[in-house]
Amino acid sequence: MLVVVPRLVNLNTETANRIASEFGITLEVIEEKYSEYVPKGSIISQTPIEDELIKSSRPVSIVVSKGRGKSEMPNLVGMSFYEAQKKIISERLKLGSITEVESTSNVVGVIEDQFPAPGAMVGRDTPVNLEIAVTSYSVMPDLIGLTPEEAVELIGQSGFNAERIRQKYITDMSTYSSTPGGYVVRQDPEAGMRVDSENPIDLYIKP
């Protein structure tokens, strides 16, 4: 007796066996393999294909998905962000969160740490979280009310490059009418901010 082969691709094996039974045919699993697109336990391919006529005594051969395969997590530590990103893409992983951390080796712009760790077995599209080394930061001191000389000294003591200081005189006297001349009335960056030690610092002084 001849029967029409139904479409079984992408169906899970339980559903496929039920449909095959309704059509009066049997299924034979000839291979199980990893697939990026077909869920585990579902059918990747079939032989004969759908709509072919076969004898009911002939089984339909199917290849069943084992799900996404796992691979070893590469070591990204020491790479530049650009290199690490390329590696993540080539390994069919995904870029996860990015965190900036102070450099432990005085080399900035490279990967300091990663998660999952190198050597871990991971599946495709696993997010990879990276820590990227940046220059060390210092907390900006409060310079308001100091003389320019005092401000420069405190900036140096706080770990900043005093050569990056820019002194400017304010022109809007009405805003600082109650403040005596010769003192810092505004600063940029503001007090309390964590700032790169080489960041420019603007001191606004009332003449």
Side-chain angles (χ1 to χ4, degrees):
M1 178 175 133
L2 295 177
V3 295
V4 177
V5 177
R7 176 177 173 79
L8 304 171
V9 173
N10 291 327
L11 298 179
N12 62 55
T13 52
E14 181 180 351
T15 301
N17 276 302
R18 177 176 55 78
I19 293 174
S21 178
E22 292 173 357
F23 277 75
I25 58 177
T26 58
L27 304 183
E28 179 185 15
V29 179
I30 60 170
E31 185 182 1
E32 293 184 355
K33 64 181 183 180
Y34 293 111
S35 172
E36 289 187 53
Y37 308 106
V38 180
K40 182 178 181 180
S42 295
I43 297 172
I44 298 173
S45 63
Q46 65 181 82
T47 305
I49 61 173
E50 62 182 297
D51 295 334
E52 282 197 19
L53 286 172
I54 62 170
K55 292 182 179 181
S56 59
S57 59
R58 176 186 173 187
V60 174
S61 301
I62 58 174
V63 177
V64 178
S65 172
K66 294 168 64 176
R68 292 179 174 177
K70 292 190 174 183
S71 57
E72 188 174 315
M73 182 69 205
N75 185 4
L76 307 174
V77 175
M79 291 185 181
S80 69
F81 174 70
Y82 175 72
E83 292 171 332
Q85 189 175 32
K86 281 178 56 179
K87 187 66 173 176
I88 288 170
I89 293 172
S90 69
E91 295 288 334
R92 298 182 181 179
L93 303 170
K94 290 199 310 184
L95 182 63
S97 65
I98 299 172
T99 305
E100 293 184 346
V101 295
E102 293 186 14
S103 172
T104 58
S105 60
N106 294 322
V107 179
V108 300
V110 301
I111 307 305
E112 283 275 322
D113 202 359
Q114 66 181 85
F115 182 82
M121 299 304 294
V122 294
R124 300 289 172 85
D125 292 327
T126 296
V128 183
N129 301 328
L130 301 177
E131 291 187 356
I132 301 179
V134 295
T135 54
S136 59
Y137 290 102
S138 298
V139 177
M140 178 59 58
D142 186 358
L143 308 172
I144 307 301
L146 302 181
T147 64
E149 294 77 14
E150 292 170 336
V152 169
E153 182 178 1
L154 182 55
I155 287 170
Q157 292 173 351
S158 300
F160 294 95
N161 184 353
E163 295 181 359
R164 302 286 286 168
I165 296 172
R166 299 180 295 203
Q167 298 188 29
K168 304 178 181 181
Y169 289 99
I170 62 168
T171 56
D172 181 12
M173 296 297 181
S174 60
T175 303
Y176 305 99
S177 57
S178 61
T179 304
Y183 293 92
V184 177
V185 294
R186 186 158 61 91
Q187 67 182 79
D188 185 21
E190 297 180 355
M193 292 183 62
R194 286 176 55 82
V195 184
D196 186 333
S197 58
E198 292 296 321
N199 195 82
I201 300 171
D202 293 330
L203 301 179
Y204 294 86
I205 302 162
K206 181 177 179 180

